[in-house]
Amino acid sequence: MAVTINTLREFKQKGEAFAALTSYDATFSQVVSEAGVHVILIGDSLGMVLQGHDSTLPVTMDQMVYHVSCVAKGNRGSLIMADMPFMSYGTVESALENAAELMRAGAHMVKLEGTDWMKETITALTERAVPVCAHLGLTPQFVNKFGGYKVQGRDEKAAEMMIEHACELEAAGADAILLECVPAPLAARISQAVKAPVIGIGAGPDTDGQILVLHDMLGITTGRKPRFVKNFLAETDSVQEALQAYVKAVGERSFPAEEHTFKA
Ligand code: KIV
């Protein structure tokens, strides 16, 4: 049965964890979907992973639409989430227009990076039938404001603010929250504070779902390997088995383990 936003809500209500992965093409999306991964993200990480840029900023709407349509063709029942690329939601009008393009290409939900300034945009999108995931914590489109890729929410003031933003964005209509690179205790507090499913990457074991970049979990990352990554292909020579092992480990909450987690 196809995964929907209701499926993710049910996971949260039952206290069960769901698995998400990035994917950018039809073949991988079919394999990922058939392995039981619940959510496929066409992340703007494709700017780094596929295109070789040093950030996600150069990714365009046309490129996102192309990759979403490739993934939609291969998908076998996973929920398809598409990133809105840098500056494609700078105004409410541009957000509506660009989200509509991603939905027409086959997305079931869009993901936006930012904080409380996105409230009006999220309300406008969700009122017009576009489900939204709000990405908080380390939001890579803000790399030049952050001065690097750094763990966010480490001090209590920043932690309180992130909790407040998550609650405000949920109240504005966000259907899901994604937390990237935040201390595990903060991610646990946010997951409890909101009813919406919370997906974590580098956010510890207590979020409602986990996500990784596909190339990272297959051990083919070039350059520095982030702390929160585990290579699931290290213990098998089958991509399919590696993907199934990831889904199982997330479901059992054996991944992420302590060595993949940031402390307060
Ligand atoms: O672009 C992406 O792949 C992402 C994940 C790292 C969550 O946003």
Side-chain angles (χ1 to χ4, degrees):
M1 218 168 61
V3 176
T4 68
I5 182 64
N6 290 336
T7 319
L8 306 186
R9 290 189 188 118
E10 282 162 24
F11 267 94
K12 177 160 188 144
Q13 277 156 15
K14 289 187 200 154
E16 291 171 10
F18 57 87
L21 277 180
T22 66
S23 192
Y24 315 103
D25 64 53
T27 303
F28 262 120
S29 78
Q30 180 168 343
V31 174
V32 163
S33 191
E34 286 175 349
V37 172
H38 304 94
V39 179
I40 295 178
L41 170 69
I42 300 93
D44 59 359
S45 52
L46 68 84
M48 300 168 88
V49 176
L50 301 189
Q51 300 174 337
H53 295 296
D54 63 0
S55 80
T56 59
L57 272 60
V59 177
T60 66
M61 266 304 296
D62 284 350
Q63 291 163 352
M64 288 304 300
V65 168
Y66 169 76
H67 286 283
V68 171
S69 71
C70 295
V71 165
K73 289 188 186 94
N75 181 36
R76 298 292 182 266
S78 303
L79 185 142
I80 298 179
M81 187 190 293
D83 261 344
M84 298 202 62
F86 178 61
M87 218 40 95
S88 66
Y89 47 103
T91 62
V92 174
E93 289 68 31
S94 63
L96 291 175
E97 200 173 307
N98 289 321
E101 272 208 69
L102 294 170
M103 299 296 279
R104 283 189 203 108
H108 303 126
M109 177 181 265
V110 298
K111 177 162 78 61
L112 279 64
E113 298 180 10
T115 56
D116 54 345
W117 61 268
M118 300 196 299
K119 284 189 288 189
E120 196 189 345
T121 306
I122 290 176
T123 303
L125 286 167
T126 53
E127 281 181 346
R128 289 163 182 78
V130 179
V132 171
C133 176
H135 184 156
L136 294 168
L138 170 53
T139 43
Q141 291 174 16
F142 287 75
V143 61
N144 296 306
K145 285 288 282 181
F146 291 155
Y149 297 100
K150 297 175 183 168
V151 177
Q152 301 294 311
R154 278 210 137 125
D155 63 75
E156 188 51 30
K157 194 166 161 230
E160 290 291 344
M161 188 159 291
M162 208 183 295
I163 296 170
E164 206 175 298
H165 288 157
C167 293
E168 287 178 18
L169 296 179
E170 177 177 51
D175 299 278
I177 305 281
L178 189 142
L179 299 176
E180 179 165 352
C181 288
V182 303
L186 171 58
R189 284 168 72 190
I190 294 175
S191 303
Q192 280 171 11
V194 297
K195 287 203 180 68
V198 176
I199 309 171
I201 176 165
D206 299 318
T207 53
D208 307 303
Q210 297 291 334
I211 187 162
L212 283 177
V213 169
L214 178 66
H215 294 57
D216 287 347
M217 62 80 69
L218 293 178
I220 50 174
T221 318
T222 52
R224 199 180 62 86
K225 184 183 128 200
R227 177 188 172 93
F228 54 80
V229 167
K230 176 175 173 181
N231 174 5
F232 284 85
L233 199 55
E235 284 152 33
T236 169
D237 53 13
S238 152
V239 168
Q240 279 85 351
E241 281 178 17
L243 294 169
Q244 285 159 9
Y246 169 67
V247 175
K248 187 165 178 279
V250 169
E252 289 170 348
R253 294 194 191 271
S254 58
F255 175 79
E258 209 165 319
E259 72 259 29
H260 309 118
T261 297
F262 300 107
K263 304 277 172 231

